[in-house]
Amino acid sequence: QVHLVESGGGLVKPGGSLRLSCSASGFTFSDYYMTWIRQAPGKGLEWVSYISNSGGETNYADSMKGRFTISRDNAKNSLFLEMNSLRADDTAIYYCARHLTTGAGAWLDSWGQGTLVTVSS
Amino acid sequence: DIQMTQSPSSLSASVGDRVTITCRASQRIVSFLNWYQQKPGKAPNLLIYAASTLQSGVPSRFSGSGSGTDFTLTISSLQPEDFATYYCQQSYSIPITFGQGTRLEIK
């Protein structure tokens, strides 16, 4: 059974940094792309970033480029999101999700429970 | 960026009703369209991928259709556990984008 558990969220001041982690189990982590999605309070879903199974390919939403860095450690079945220069509008629940990519498209078939990041002075 | 527009934004319906939610893409996305259900305080859950393929474990009352720019999610007979928010998502191009959501409420 696929299990994803995020951690590392919390309260941080504007301009600060935070590192989120996602621990994966129940599947061969190194076979799958992974994605971060966020959801601001009371709002919809926003894609943040994805990383290929090897870590050699990454992509980011424009508003996160240069501030956020996605990475993974396949030996430890872990996904990370390093967030710098945080702003109030980065306040959200951050979800990690398993990202299946095929010739028929890409979808997020398993999600963690999320970790809340609050950016406030 | 491809814009995804869902309609309606909210919907009131009764148990047993047939409900349809529409998602329109701002440009052609073939069948690279997925649907998710999200209940309050929970993570989203994949319902339909590639426009019409039911995810394993999802009840057969859910179905998806469409291609190109126009897509629909249909719930054939609403059950109490179906009252939630539904999102479409395109994977045709980066950035991956979601619709704004459709909140399905009990009438």
Side-chain angles (χ1 to χ4, degrees), chain B residues 38-77:
Chain B
Q38 187 179 33
K39 296 181 180 179
K42 301 294 186 183
N45 182 50
L46 177 67
L47 297 175
I48 303 279
Y49 61 89
S52 61
T53 303
L54 196 67
Q55 170 70 348
S56 175
V58 174
S60 59
R61 63 181 179 272
F62 291 92
S63 63
S65 65
S67 66
T69 60
D70 294 318
F71 302 86
T72 59
L73 172 70
T74 299
I75 309 172
S76 60
S77 178

XYZ file of all heavy atoms in Angstrom, chain B residues 38-77:
284
model
N -11.923 15.927 -3.536
C -11.327 16.314 -2.271
C -12.413 16.582 -1.232
O -13.313 17.383 -1.464
C -10.441 17.558 -2.408
C -9.683 17.879 -1.116
C -8.779 19.091 -1.250
O -9.072 20.036 -1.976
N -7.658 19.086 -0.528
N -12.310 15.902 -0.109
C -13.215 16.124 1.010
C -12.546 17.062 2.012
O -11.314 17.132 2.070
C -13.595 14.795 1.643
C -14.372 13.912 0.671
C -14.788 12.591 1.285
C -15.558 11.784 0.255
N -15.980 10.460 0.782
N -13.344 17.784 2.787
C -12.774 18.778 3.714
C -11.717 18.179 4.645
O -11.937 17.125 5.240
C -14.001 19.255 4.500
C -15.140 19.054 3.566
C -14.813 17.796 2.807
N -10.567 18.844 4.715
C -9.497 18.420 5.591
C -8.700 17.225 5.103
O -7.841 16.720 5.831
N -8.980 16.782 3.889
C -8.307 15.601 3.340
C -7.549 15.954 2.071
O -7.798 16.979 1.435
C -9.326 14.504 3.019
C -10.137 14.029 4.201
C -9.279 13.318 5.226
C -10.121 12.721 6.334
N -9.269 12.084 7.382
N -6.612 15.076 1.707
C -5.904 15.239 0.446
C -6.822 14.863 -0.712
O -7.765 14.091 -0.544
C -4.671 14.343 0.431
N -6.556 15.400 -1.891
C -7.319 14.979 -3.075
C -7.125 13.494 -3.364
O -6.121 12.887 -2.968
C -6.712 15.836 -4.190
C -6.158 17.030 -3.497
C -5.630 16.492 -2.194
N -8.104 12.946 -4.063
C -8.091 11.525 -4.422
C -8.376 11.405 -5.915
O -9.360 11.981 -6.407
C -9.155 10.799 -3.605
C -9.176 9.320 -3.874
O -8.147 8.656 -3.837
N -10.356 8.784 -4.163
N -7.541 10.660 -6.626
C -7.703 10.502 -8.067
C -8.941 9.663 -8.378
O -9.100 8.555 -7.846
C -6.459 9.837 -8.656
C -6.479 9.524 -10.145
C -6.500 10.816 -10.969
C -5.264 8.674 -10.529
N -9.801 10.193 -9.241
C -11.004 9.473 -9.663
C -10.869 8.910 -11.081
O -11.151 7.740 -11.331
C -12.214 10.402 -9.655
C -12.664 11.018 -8.347
C -13.816 11.999 -8.627
C -13.096 9.946 -7.372
N -10.492 9.762 -12.007
C -10.472 9.460 -13.427
C -9.157 9.973 -14.002
O -8.749 11.101 -13.683
C -11.625 10.182 -14.168
C -12.987 9.822 -13.600
C -11.547 9.938 -15.680
C -13.559 8.532 -14.078
N -8.505 9.182 -14.846
C -7.327 9.675 -15.544
C -7.480 9.433 -17.043
O -8.300 8.619 -17.483
C -6.036 9.050 -14.993
C -5.935 7.545 -15.116
C -5.389 6.947 -16.244
C -6.371 6.715 -14.084
C -5.283 5.574 -16.350
C -6.280 5.340 -14.171
C -5.734 4.772 -15.303
O -5.630 3.400 -15.402
N -6.683 10.175 -17.790
C -6.758 10.100 -19.268
C -8.195 10.272 -19.744
O -8.662 9.548 -20.636
C -6.150 8.786 -19.763
N -8.884 11.191 -19.143
C -10.240 11.638 -19.498
C -11.355 10.666 -19.144
O -12.454 11.103 -18.757
C -10.330 12.002 -20.981
N -11.102 9.348 -19.268
C -12.226 8.422 -19.128
C -11.904 7.124 -18.416
O -12.783 6.259 -18.295
C -12.800 8.093 -20.514
O -11.802 7.474 -21.312
N -10.683 6.958 -17.937
C -10.302 5.708 -17.286
C -10.505 5.819 -15.784
O -9.942 6.714 -15.132
C -8.838 5.350 -17.582
O -8.654 5.269 -18.996
C -8.482 4.011 -16.951
N -11.299 4.907 -15.249
C -11.615 4.919 -13.828
C -10.423 4.391 -13.028
O -9.914 3.297 -13.304
C -12.845 4.049 -13.595
C -13.590 4.187 -12.277
C -14.241 5.558 -12.166
C -14.652 3.101 -12.152
N -9.996 5.150 -12.041
C -8.917 4.701 -11.176
C -9.389 3.491 -10.375
O -10.554 3.388 -9.976
C -8.490 5.835 -10.236
C -7.536 5.458 -9.110
C -6.132 5.110 -9.559
O -5.876 4.928 -10.744
N -5.202 5.032 -8.618
N -8.469 2.573 -10.132
C -8.779 1.373 -9.371
C -9.388 1.735 -8.011
O -8.896 2.625 -7.309
C -7.503 0.565 -9.156
O -7.747 -0.542 -8.330
N -10.482 1.051 -7.684
C -11.133 1.264 -6.397
C -12.190 2.351 -6.385
O -12.912 2.495 -5.392
N -12.305 3.092 -7.461
C -13.308 4.171 -7.546
C -14.642 3.563 -8.013
O -14.663 2.796 -8.982
C -12.843 5.282 -8.502
C -13.944 6.320 -8.702
C -11.575 5.943 -7.948
N -15.735 3.896 -7.351
C -17.027 3.311 -7.734
C -17.405 3.607 -9.187
O -17.109 4.680 -9.715
C -18.009 3.967 -6.767
C -17.186 4.382 -5.603
C -15.846 4.742 -6.158
N -18.117 2.662 -9.779
C -18.457 2.770 -11.198
C -19.516 3.834 -11.484
O -19.795 4.119 -12.650
C -18.934 1.413 -11.721
O -20.060 0.979 -10.984
N -20.087 4.426 -10.454
C -21.040 5.525 -10.707
C -20.320 6.787 -11.213
O -20.956 7.697 -11.732
C -21.855 5.851 -9.455
C -21.040 6.346 -8.272
C -21.958 6.612 -7.068
N -21.203 7.073 -5.894
C -20.669 6.250 -5.006
N -20.785 4.935 -5.149
N -20.006 6.747 -3.959
N -18.995 6.833 -11.061
C -18.208 7.924 -11.604
C -17.781 7.579 -13.034
O -17.340 6.460 -13.304
C -16.951 8.173 -10.764
C -17.229 8.742 -9.401
C -17.394 7.897 -8.308
C -17.324 10.110 -9.202
C -17.657 8.411 -7.049
C -17.586 10.628 -7.944
C -17.757 9.790 -6.865
N -17.900 8.539 -13.935
C -17.409 8.337 -15.285
C -16.924 9.665 -15.853
O -17.367 10.738 -15.429
C -18.490 7.739 -16.194
O -19.572 8.631 -16.321
N -16.010 9.568 -16.798
C -15.475 10.760 -17.446
C -15.527 10.612 -18.945
O -15.467 9.498 -19.488
N -15.666 11.744 -19.625
C -15.680 11.723 -21.079
C -15.114 13.020 -21.613
O -14.912 13.987 -20.860
C -17.102 11.505 -21.601
O -17.922 12.602 -21.254
N -14.885 13.018 -22.917
C -14.419 14.225 -23.583
C -13.035 14.066 -24.179
O -12.293 13.127 -23.871
N -12.705 15.003 -25.052
C -11.368 15.086 -25.635
C -11.234 16.456 -26.289
O -12.251 17.124 -26.548
C -11.104 13.966 -26.644
O -11.942 14.117 -27.756
N -10.018 16.842 -26.552
C -9.810 18.157 -27.146
C -9.827 19.249 -26.096
O -8.846 19.406 -25.364
N -10.916 19.969 -26.002
C -11.000 21.053 -25.023
C -12.129 20.889 -24.009
O -12.134 21.581 -22.989
C -11.188 22.419 -25.711
O -12.398 22.386 -26.467
C -10.006 22.752 -26.625
N -13.079 20.009 -24.266
C -14.263 19.910 -23.412
C -14.387 18.515 -22.801
O -14.380 17.507 -23.525
C -15.519 20.249 -24.202
C -15.542 21.709 -24.633
O -15.174 22.574 -23.813
O -15.917 21.975 -25.785
N -14.563 18.511 -21.477
C -14.577 17.266 -20.717
C -15.696 17.306 -19.682
O -16.103 18.380 -19.233
C -13.236 17.070 -20.000
C -12.076 17.047 -20.936
C -11.465 18.229 -21.337
C -11.590 15.848 -21.442
C -10.394 18.219 -22.224
C -10.523 15.827 -22.317
C -9.931 17.020 -22.717
N -16.191 16.121 -19.323
C -17.212 16.047 -18.287
C -16.908 14.928 -17.306
O -16.357 13.892 -17.674
C -18.614 15.824 -18.878
O -18.606 14.606 -19.621
C -19.039 16.966 -19.761
N -17.296 15.186 -16.071
C -17.310 14.178 -15.019
C -18.769 13.971 -14.657
O -19.478 14.946 -14.372
C -16.531 14.649 -13.799
C -16.630 13.762 -12.547
C -15.886 12.448 -12.755
C -16.089 14.490 -11.308
N -19.208 12.727 -14.680
C -20.595 12.415 -14.358
C -20.644 11.462 -13.170
O -19.878 10.498 -13.115
C -21.314 11.776 -15.560
O -21.313 12.719 -16.655
C -22.750 11.430 -15.221
N -21.545 11.764 -12.252
C -21.845 10.839 -11.151
C -23.271 10.378 -11.402
O -24.201 11.202 -11.414
C -21.718 11.524 -9.781
C -20.363 12.240 -9.661
C -21.859 10.492 -8.653
C -20.220 13.112 -8.423
N -23.452 9.096 -11.621
C -24.735 8.616 -12.127
C -25.843 8.657 -11.070
O -26.998 8.915 -11.384
C -24.589 7.201 -12.673
O -24.148 6.331 -11.644
N -25.492 8.389 -9.826
C -26.473 8.388 -8.746
C -25.750 8.798 -7.468
O -25.040 7.985 -6.864
C -27.110 7.004 -8.597
O -28.031 7.001 -7.514
